[in-house]
Every structure is written in C-alpha cells, then in structure tokens.
Amino acid sequence: MTTQATFVTNLQRTLGQNIRQYGMFIALFVIMIIFSITTNGIFISSRNLSNLINQTGYIAVLAVGMTLVIVIRHIDLSVGFLAGFLGAVAAIALRFWELPTIVVVPMVLVLGGLAGLLTAFPVAELKIPSFVASLAGWLIYRGALQLVTAGTGTIIIEDETFNAIGNGFIPDVPFSIVPGYHTLTLLLGVLAIVAFIISEIRSRNKKLAYNFEVLPTDMFLLKLIFISTLIGLLAWIMAGYNGLSWTMVIVLAVVAIYHFITTQTVLGRHIYAVGGNPEAAELSGISVKRITYIVFASMGVLSALSGILFASRLRSATTTAGTLFELDAIAAAYIGGVSAAGGVGNVIGSIIGALVYVSLTSGMNLMGIDIAYQYIVRGLVLVAAVVFDVTTRRRGRAG
Amino acid sequence: MEIPILEMRQITKEFPGVRALDNVTFSVKRGEIHCLVGENGAGKSTLMKVLSGVYPYGSYSGEILIDGQPQRFFGIADSERVGIGIIYQELALVPELTVYENIFLGHEISRNGVIDWNETIRRADEMLRKVRLDVNPAAKIRDLGVGKQQLVEIAKALSREVKILILDEPTAALNENDSENLLNLLRELRDHGVTCILISHKLKEVLSVADTVTVLRDGKTVCTLDAHKGEVSEQALIRNMVGREIANIYPPRNHQISDEVMLELRNWTVYSPELGRYLLRDVNLQVRKGEIVGLAGLMGAGRTELALSLFGNAPGYRISGELWLKGRKRAFRHPREAIAAGLAYVSEDRKAKGLVLIQDVRQNITLANLQALAQNGVINRNAEIQVAEGYRKSLNIKTPTIEQQVVNLSGGNQQKVCLGKWLFVRPDVLILDEPTRGIDVGAKYEIYQLMNRLVEEGMSIIMISSELPEVLGMSDRIYVVSGGRIKGELPVAAATQEKIMELAVDY
C-alpha cells in the first residue's frame, strides 16, 4: 500500500513540477487518442501516420529554425515564399539546367543561407524590426516565385533521386524478423531505445555525482518506459508501412543537430543568452550582431530545405508553393512553448508543436470536418497552448 | 504666522528591509524656491514620490497638508488636482508627438471627445511664451534639445495651473547656458507666485537660487536653512550632507601596490552625438597593479560612461584620447576585445545589464568565458559544473543548486553570481560599478573581503561608488568625477567625506 501511495504522490509531484515539459507530449497523445477513436482507428493506422509525418516535414524544419529566431526576439515572415522560390529554383536547375540532385541540393541550401544573411542585414546593422525586414522578403520572394514560374507555370520534376527525398523510404535489409514489417526500421527503433536509455542513465548518474536533484527512481523508470514505448510504437507503426521515409530521416537529423547545437555548444548558449538579455550578452563579450546573422542564416538554410522537401513531395514546383508556411511554422513554435519575450524555447518542443498542428489537420480531414471549422479549431488550440504555457511558467517562477 | 503652502509631517516610508524615510518633516512657504539636497539615497526622490501620490496614501505613515488642509493622495491624478506638478529627471514626453500635443497630453482641450486644435495651439503658444521658449509649437519633441524639452515639461505643468512645481535634478543633463536659463525661469515663476521645490546635486545652483534649503541624510531631515538669514553656505551644506557615520565594516588588508601601471587613460574624451554633449572630457588616470582605485562622484557624473567607453561598449560615441593597458596602447571596439585583453566590467545594474535572469547560476557564471570550457565549440559540461560549483563555494553564493534560475536569488547572491562570471574571465583589471548597491550588510562585507583577496593576488580594481564611506573604506587612491571631468585625485589618507563632496558638487 505505502509503495503504491508514494508512487502516486511522486507521479503527482513530478507531473506538477514538469508540467510544461511534458504538457506538449501529453497533449499530442490525447489528440492522437481522440482522433483514433473518432476515425475508428484510421488515424492511428501505419499508412496515415506515415503520411502525416511526411507532411509535417517541411513545416517541422521551418519550426526548428523559427524557434531560434523567436528565441533571439525576432521573427521571420519571409520563410514561406523563400521556401517556395528556392523549391522552384531547384526544379529549374533539375529540369532545364539538367543538374544532378547531388549538385542542386547543396546549391539551394547555400542560396537559402545567403537569403537569410540578407534578411539579417537591416535587422543587425540598422536595427530595423525583423517583422518589417522579413515582410519585405515575403513580398520579394513571392514576386520572385511568380517570376521564375511565369513562363512555364507548374514545373514538373522528373528526377527520381530528387523526388525520393519527399516520397521515398529507406531500403530494407535482406532478411526479415517480423513478416510484413520493415526490418531495418525495427532495428533502428531498438537501437534508438537502447541509445536513449544509456544516455539517460549516464546523465542521471552524473547529476547524482554532483548532488543535483533528480527524478525519484520510480519516476525515472516510468519516464524511461514511457519514452521507450513511444519510440518503439513509432518504429512499429512506421515499419508497418514501407518503413522510415527519407523525409523522416532528414527531419530527425535536423532535430538532432539543432538539439545538439542549442544544448551542448558555445554557439547555442550564446543564442539563448542574447535572447534572455541582449545587453548583458553584449557586455559579456557576445556579439549580438553576429548571433543575429547566424540565426537568420540558419533560418534561410532551413527554408531552402523546406522548399526542397515540399517540391520533392509534390514532384513539382508550383506558383503558389510556400503560401502560409511561415505562419504554420510560427504557430508550431508557439504551441511548442517558445516565448516571444526571448530566451525561452527548444527545438524538441517546436517539433512536437508541429506534430500537434499537423495532427489536427489530418485528423479533422479524416473526420470530414469542414475546412472553416478546422481553422477555428487550430486557432483555439494555439491560444490554449500559449495560455497554458504562460500560466504554468508563472506558477513555476512563484514556486 | 503664515500657513505654509505645503507641510509634510512625520513621514515614514519603509521598503522591505530598508527605512527610506524616517520621520521626515518638510515645510515649504508660499512663493519660495525651496531646495532639497542630500547624498544619493538620502531619500529626496522617495519624499517627492510620497508627495506626488506615486506612493499612495496608506503606504507611508505621516501627514501631508496643503494650505493647512490634510490631503490623501491615492495617485498622481489626486496630487495634480490640488496643484502639485512634478518633473522627473527622465522626461515624460512623447518624442514623436508635437510640442502642443505634449503640453496638453492627458488634459486635451476638447468638446465631446473632439479636440479643439486651434484653441490647443493658441494656449500652447501662450504657455511657451511664459517659459520663454521660442519654438514652433508644431515641432516634434524629438527634434528639440534636452534643455528645450525641459522647458516644455515646465510649460506642461503650468498649463495645469500648478501651484507647487517640483523639479528633480532638472539641470543634470543640461549644459551651462541651458541651466542658467532654467534657473532664471524658476526665479521668474517664483515672482509670479509659483512655489518651486528643486532637488539638485549642484550646490552652486542651490546657493544662487534657493530661498530655503532642507538637507536630508539617511532618510531623516537634518536641518532647514534660511538663505535670507545667511544660513546657507557651501560648507554648511556639505557638513550637513555628509555627516554619516563610517561604521567599521571594512576588513583590513595587507597588500603591496607595485609601481607597475596596469591601466592608464590620457586625455580620454567622449562625445555623444545623440545627446549633443560631452560625457567625458580630458580624463587622465592611472591604475597600478594591486591597487583599488575609487571613482567617487554623484550619479550622472560620467563614471559609468567612463567604464563602458573604455570597455568597448560605446554606441555611436566619438572617443579621443589614449587607453593604455599593460603598457600597450589599445582601442576596443567590442567588449569581447576588452575581455580578451584582460578587462572585466561588473555593471551597476545587474538585472538589466549583468545577468540573464531566466538562466541558471551555472550558465550565468560561465557566460563570458565559455570558450575556456569548450573544445571545437562543444561545451564540456563536467568542467562547466566544476567551475560553477567552485565559484558557488568560494563566493559563498547561497542557492539550493547551481541549476537555480538567478531570478530567484537575493540581490546579494545575484551580485556574487555577477562577480563569479567576471572572475572566471581572469581579468587583470576589474571594474566594479556600484558593487554593493542594494545588497545587505553581510553580503557587502563578503564582497569587500573578496576585493581585498583579489588585490592581494595582484589584480587591479577600479571601484565606482556613490557611497562615500565605501570609497574611503576600500580605496587606496580616489579620483573624484564631476561633470565628466576628473575634479581631483586624493590618496585615501588625505581624503575625507567633506573633501570628496566639495569636489563632487563642483560643476
């Protein structure tokens, strides 16, 4: 009885203390369960979830970049049409200049980085509000997109290597463990779980060595089991339908790289310090200008990546590609817990935010809900998420 | 006897841990210029905030009487209603609006919510003539100099038919000409029956304009002197301002000052195009190895600007003169370069400029020198924890863990985090700007001990402080700064509070 009682109080306390961290995971979980019920399980099917995640890809990478932009107290509205424009550039390079994918992708990524530096210039040098500077970019890239597609209209991409980025799946190993399931995906899932458990245990031991507060043992086990199950479930579902897609591989790589940069590197720490208190950062020898350039350049590169993912998924570049991507990415970042006051927010949260956002669309589509209501629901979820975030943060500070 | 226009009786105002005003009595006669003087932190501004209703009735104890009638002000609107107008050091004008819009801001001349612009401009013109300001009422505030803006503030107060006009350091940001104009205007207003209360650090001004002077010290009224009875003189004022006890809270130290000059400024001059005036002029100073040099002076004297300009944080300033550090002539364009060369600057405003409040103790301590903990840009988390833990122990930072957000720490512990951050860059010259402002006695003592330890190890310290006892207790040598100039250099043995104050108020 007593162990049971302590377990419950531990659970309550842990959830209470970390409600902000876990809130988004729980919200995503709840949304998925609701849609699974209302769609008679179609939502949770391997095929649907695989599609859903591939659709999230081009918003997810934008949300990752946008997180950092918002963390340093700026905004970038130009990313949607920049993605659309660079997608068209990629299509033109493949179709008319007949360049191979291996050349086109790096080229477009570099162009994206340059575009980001261009947006950053008036912001960093002249202190022009980024809202205005990037709104100008929004107009310019929209015009540029129409200009390069004016003669041809939609440009069909026939390069199958390129199209595989948005539509292909990783190859499988020649043997099979579970019949009908993608074996390599399952193996990668197991590998991910093992890596996760080892890194968690090491980090916990390190914290214990310094006498830091750690989760009680039962809660720690619960967390390990919960997240391992989540990873396992994801791998299982993906393995049930063609396995891991290249889009997913790219998104996971982007998240891993950005998570590493933001949590483990000097650059990441400098970005968060600039966001938390630019004056203190400047006086601590951090160049706020330099950080501004870097963050906007990274946003530009990720816009290019988003454009590539989108063009590849549609196997074409259209005249309206990228419309409203920027607002979806901003919404995803805010749902994921970024604060406009600066210095707060992380890329994992934003990815979850993007998943919540796209899940809503997908689930409501499956239920046949009118698009008008969909917008209203998404708006309400955005407000709810931000209100939740602000109130829990306040409580966290008081306590 | 005539009833005073204003009487404040037994005013006591407490903040958590501090008694800012202690039984203050303050009485102002009708139609006089009454000056309020005292050191920084003596309680002048607090007293005026009580009077103007910024601190509402009930948050202090004591009585306020206007024309003999007791008053209860719950906000600024209440004090304005009985004719009190206050002009703060930081002007409360909207830069993007015109002069006439600003004059009537909040009191627009209107009918049914529609503003009568013709009448507004006519009345504004009238007010501007009263303060002898010759500008187009349609000019934008941002296009006027500080001196003219100050006059617009006064015009604004006059438009509300103010009976008691309070000015908080009105000439602090003005050049000599504008200051003289302003003082003449005050005399004129007095002759037209407006009672003026003037807070000023510039004793020459006080001597030339005051009818009566009240001196505050440590939140208490020291005395009220009548200029017409010949009671007001510079010596009398200084004597009453500085009579603070120097408690024996300064730990002794045992250190060697070498002859080696670590930092030297030659004719350091800083001009701000934005403000249109010199912040610093011809500053010459030397700091030797193992020495604590005190920069004394009053707020706004230019000491912080001095520190920031040599630290490479000088936005848009035009600097001439030479900075020599460890025998090399240097010019820093960014704090990064200054830090790399061996300088560190601990800001006077730790919350706004020193700390990233939402980050934890560890992240704040290592912020200025992360490179030292990183390989290929990746932070070595273990090394970082060891460094932060080391400073937590050596500086006795009271925090549950180094993972605590600094916003949750007390002022003294926040200051120690700032110090830890700057010690970790291992500077040769450490600039401390008001190192003990707003922290408790225990933490103060620890910071003094730390300063002693650092100079004993050979570091040089420049300490900017507005607290005279601190300057006298901790410095080896003292420079007194006033109006952007070094007014004097005193070895600590020859310095007294009176001598420093004489130089500090010499504008």
Side-chain angles (χ1 to χ4, degrees):
Chain A
M1 262 321 274
T2 42
T3 49
Q4 214 170 343
T6 45
F7 179 80
V8 173
T9 43
N10 275 349
L11 185 64
Q12 279 172 343
R13 220 190 36 226
T14 308
L15 282 181
Q17 283 169 348
N18 301 289
I19 189 75
R20 249 160 55 69
Q21 278 176 31
Y22 300 149
M24 275 304 112
F25 283 94
I26 294 167
L28 182 62
F29 215 64
V30 169
I31 287 170
M32 290 187 145
I33 289 170
I34 291 175
F35 282 133
S36 300
I37 295 167
T38 55
T39 60
N40 294 323
I42 300 174
F43 181 83
I44 201 74
S45 71
S46 293
R47 184 194 164 86
N48 186 58
L49 280 184
S50 177
N51 269 328
L52 187 148
I53 291 175
N54 287 341
Q55 278 166 24
T56 315
Y58 51 88
I59 297 299
V61 292
L62 286 180
V64 168
M66 194 64 76
T67 304
L68 298 192
V69 174
I70 298 174
V71 160
I72 64 163
R73 308 182 178 193
H74 286 300
I75 197 79
D76 192 343
L77 298 176
S78 70
V79 299
F81 284 116
L82 178 60
F85 169 62
L86 291 175
V89 170
I92 289 168
L94 291 162
R95 176 84 186 272
F96 303 122
W97 305 342
E98 293 176 357
L99 296 172
T101 302
I102 194 85
V103 175
V104 170
V105 169
M107 178 186 87
V108 170
L109 293 179
V110 169
L111 284 178
L114 293 177
L117 290 178
L118 220 55
T119 311
F121 177 76
V123 177
E125 302 296 335
L126 307 170
K127 308 276 176 266
I128 306 277
S130 52
F131 189 95
V132 178
S134 65
L135 184 58
W138 186 92
L139 288 162
I140 291 166
Y141 298 129
R142 181 174 205 176
L145 172 60
Q146 291 185 1
L147 209 62
V148 296
T149 54
T152 51
T154 298
I155 304 165
I156 307 291
I157 301 170
E158 281 156 356
D159 186 317
E160 278 315 310
T161 320
F162 186 83
N163 286 340
I165 297 172
N167 298 291
F169 295 87
I170 60 169
D172 204 352
V173 287
F175 56 89
S176 165
I177 302 171
V178 186
Y181 279 78
H182 195 272
T183 314
L184 183 57
T185 302
L186 288 180
L187 290 175
L188 286 175
V190 172
L191 209 67
I193 291 173
V194 172
F196 167 74
I197 291 177
I198 291 175
S199 88
E200 281 292 309
I201 291 176
R202 282 172 78 181
S203 130
R204 181 183 159 91
N205 285 344
K206 212 173 275 176
K207 282 192 172 179
L208 280 175
Y210 288 107
N211 277 329
F212 286 168
E213 209 181 324
V214 292
L215 291 177
T217 314
D218 50 351
M219 286 303 111
F220 180 68
L221 284 176
L222 191 71
K223 182 185 170 189
L224 285 188
I225 292 167
F226 183 76
I227 296 193
S228 301
T229 314
L230 223 60
I231 299 172
L233 219 63
L234 194 70
W236 182 257
I237 289 169
M238 291 305 120
Y241 180 79
N242 292 342
L244 206 56
S245 67
W246 284 117
T247 300
M248 250 179 276
V249 172
I250 291 170
V251 172
L252 285 176
V254 166
V255 172
I257 292 169
Y258 274 78
H259 183 66
F260 178 77
I261 291 174
T262 50
T263 57
Q264 307 291 327
T265 66
V266 174
L267 176 63
R269 195 67 69 70
H270 283 184
I271 289 171
Y272 279 82
V274 166
N277 188 345
E279 280 189 83
E282 184 83 12
L283 285 176
S284 300
I286 300 165
S287 167
V288 175
K289 255 187 209 178
R290 181 172 156 267
I291 296 295
T292 309
Y293 277 116
I294 290 173
V295 167
F296 275 91
S298 112
M299 184 75 257
V301 172
L302 292 175
S303 305
L305 184 59
S306 168
I308 290 169
L309 287 171
F310 191 67
S312 161
R313 180 144 185 89
L314 297 189
R315 301 169 198 274
S316 62
T318 65
T319 53
T320 56
T323 312
L324 294 184
F325 282 14
E326 66 281 353
L327 296 187
D328 286 344
I330 292 167
Y334 276 112
I335 291 175
V338 173
S339 158
V344 174
N346 64 71
V347 296
I348 304 281
S350 296
I351 285 291
I352 302 295
L355 273 174
V356 167
Y357 200 67
V358 177
S359 297
L360 285 173
T361 312
S362 162
M364 287 190 289
N365 275 340
L366 287 175
M367 288 170 67
I369 291 176
D370 190 275
I371 187 77
Y373 291 109
Q374 292 197 17
Y375 280 120
I376 293 173
V377 170
R378 276 194 265 170
L380 291 175
V381 168
L382 175 59
V383 169
V386 175
V387 168
F388 170 81
D389 196 53
V390 169
T391 47
T392 50
R393 184 169 302 155
R394 229 171 261 150
R395 201 174 58 185
R397 183 157 301 176
Chain B
M1 202 181 126
E2 197 193 352
I3 300 170
I5 187 165
L6 165 70
E7 236 190 316
M8 299 179 80
R9 286 184 189 158
Q10 274 120 42
I11 302 288
T12 297
K13 167 82 189 163
E14 287 184 342
F15 295 107
V18 202
R19 180 170 283 197
L21 296 175
D22 188 0
N23 251 323
V24 169
T25 297
F26 182 56
S27 170
V28 180
K29 285 183 287 221
R30 191 179 313 277
E32 68 168 354
I33 296 180
H34 195 125
C35 289
L36 194 54
V37 301
E39 278 188 284
N40 297 327
K44 303 171 306 243
S45 295
T46 312
L47 187 65
M48 291 304 109
K49 282 181 179 164
V50 167
L51 175 57
S52 61
V54 171
Y55 299 132
Y57 177 79
S59 71
Y60 58 88
S61 65
E63 260 190 314
I64 301 176
L65 289 86
I66 304 283
D67 292 324
Q69 300 300 312
Q71 305 286 336
R72 294 178 174 191
F73 301 142
F74 292 97
I76 299 177
D78 293 339
S79 68
E80 276 179 356
R81 204 168 301 126
V82 300
I84 295 173
I86 183 158
I87 296 173
Y88 294 102
Q89 221 172 324
E90 299 85 23
L91 299 178
L93 298 171
V94 184
E96 286 300 328
L97 293 183
T98 61
V99 169
Y100 64 80
E101 283 169 316
N102 266 289
I103 290 179
F104 291 100
L105 192 64
H107 290 249
E108 290 79 3
I109 304 169
S110 62
R111 187 174 299 164
N112 302 327
V114 180
I115 294 178
D116 183 344
W117 288 117
N118 291 327
E119 179 64 10
T120 301
I121 294 172
R122 195 188 64 74
R123 291 266 302 276
D125 229 10
E126 205 176 285
M127 294 303 149
L128 291 177
R129 262 201 302 277
K130 268 195 191 169
V131 299
R132 300 221 192 147
L133 179 56
D134 184 23
V135 296
N136 183 351
K140 280 190 177 176
I141 290 297
R142 55 171 290 178
D143 296 329
L144 305 182
V146 194
K148 288 181 175 170
Q149 292 187 10
Q150 190 77 255
L151 294 177
V152 173
E153 276 272 20
I154 295 175
K156 184 176 166 184
L158 294 181
S159 78
R160 297 176 186 187
E161 282 161 15
V162 62
K163 287 193 292 187
I164 304 174
L165 182 64
I166 305 165
L167 300 109
D168 191 353
E169 299 246 26
T171 60
L174 303 190
N175 62 30
E176 231 155 276
N177 238 333
D178 286 345
S179 301
E180 196 48 47
N181 280 341
L182 186 80
L183 296 181
N184 283 333
L185 176 64
L186 291 189
R187 291 190 187 101
E188 216 165 290
L189 291 174
R190 169 188 60 190
D191 297 342
H192 284 91
V194 179
T195 307
C196 297
I197 300 173
L198 176 69
I199 298 178
S200 180
H201 280 315
K202 300 182 188 171
L203 293 193
K204 277 186 190 149
E205 255 173 47
V206 172
L207 292 173
S208 88
V209 80
D211 297 303
T212 313
V213 182
T214 294
V215 182
L216 290 185
R217 186 206 309 153
D218 294 337
K220 296 191 180 100
T221 313
V222 179
C223 59
T224 297
L225 306 170
D226 188 336
H228 301 292
K229 290 185 189 154
E231 294 169 353
V232 177
S233 69
E234 195 167 335
Q235 287 75 20
L237 291 180
I238 288 174
R239 193 175 58 239
N240 285 302
M241 279 164 74
V242 299
R244 277 173 90 172
E245 289 295 307
I246 301 185
N248 191 21
I249 59 161
Y250 301 97
R253 66 172 171 263
N254 178 14
H255 71 307
Q256 296 273 312
I257 302 172
S258 84
D259 289 334
E260 188 187 345
V261 175
M262 292 300 284
L263 182 143
E264 182 172 6
L265 289 178
R266 293 182 191 158
N267 298 318
W268 192 254
T269 298
V270 175
Y271 178 79
S272 162
E274 198 183 330
L275 299 175
R277 64 188 174 96
Y278 283 93
L279 299 174
L280 295 160
R281 266 191 151 152
D282 294 324
V283 170
N284 288 290
L285 63 77
Q286 284 191 343
V287 183
R288 281 171 295 190
K289 191 171 167 66
E291 185 179 37
I292 298 182
V293 169
L295 289 188
L298 297 163
M299 253 177 249
R303 295 166 302 165
T304 297
E305 289 80 358
L306 176 64
L308 286 173
S309 65
L310 65 90
F311 194 58
N313 186 276
Y317 294 169
R318 288 209 291 272
I319 298 178
S320 65
E322 294 175 6
L323 162 63
W324 291 74
L325 189 65
K326 290 183 277 181
R328 276 181 67 192
K329 195 179 156 195
R330 309 297 296 251
F332 302 122
R333 284 160 302 172
H334 192 275
R336 184 181 59 246
E337 297 174 0
I339 294 166
L343 273 182
Y345 168 71
V346 181
S347 170
E348 59 178 332
D349 190 344
R350 56 181 166 264
K351 285 187 178 165
K353 294 183 175 173
L355 297 165
V356 183
L357 290 172
I358 54 171
Q359 292 192 344
D360 61 30
V361 173
R362 166 178 59 85
Q363 289 168 322
N364 272 285
I365 285 180
T366 58
L367 184 62
N369 197 15
L370 278 171
Q371 300 299 346
L373 296 168
Q375 259 181 344
N376 302 321
V378 180
I379 299 167
N380 179 341
R381 189 61 66 99
N382 281 344
E384 187 186 17
I385 290 170
Q386 274 163 12
V387 166
E389 273 293 328
Y391 283 109
R392 182 182 71 80
K393 288 197 189 101
S394 70
L395 300 177
N396 192 21
I397 300 171
K398 292 189 189 72
T399 172
T401 73
I402 55 171
E403 309 245 300
Q404 179 77 14
Q405 286 189 350
V406 293
V407 71
N408 295 323
L409 302 186
S410 72
N413 286 305
Q414 286 182 348
Q415 185 69 354
K416 288 179 189 171
V417 173
C418 283
L419 287 168
K421 169 169 105 174
W422 289 110
L423 294 182
F424 182 48
V425 310
R426 306 189 195 293
D428 299 307
V429 179
L430 177 66
I431 307 171
L432 300 173
D433 197 349
E434 305 284 359
T436 63
R437 177 182 289 170
I439 69 181
D440 62 272
V441 182
K444 266 188 187 181
Y445 189 78
E446 288 179 73
I447 286 173
Y448 296 143
Q449 280 181 318
L450 173 70
M451 288 168 68
N452 283 349
R453 204 165 73 220
L454 294 173
V455 289
E456 278 162 20
E457 288 165 7
M459 198 183 282
S460 306
I461 293 179
I462 300 174
M463 179 184 69
I464 298 172
S465 174
S466 299
E467 284 189 45
L468 291 180
E470 180 172 281
V471 171
L472 290 168
M474 289 306 296
S475 311
D476 294 308
R477 209 149 46 81
I478 298 164
Y479 289 100
V480 185
V481 186
S482 174
R485 294 171 191 270
I486 300 274
K487 286 288 173 183
E489 179 189 344
L490 304 165
V492 72
T496 61
Q497 295 198 41
E498 285 82 0
K499 277 187 186 163
I500 293 174
M501 190 52 82
E502 264 170 46
L503 293 166
V505 296
D506 174 20
Y507 217 66

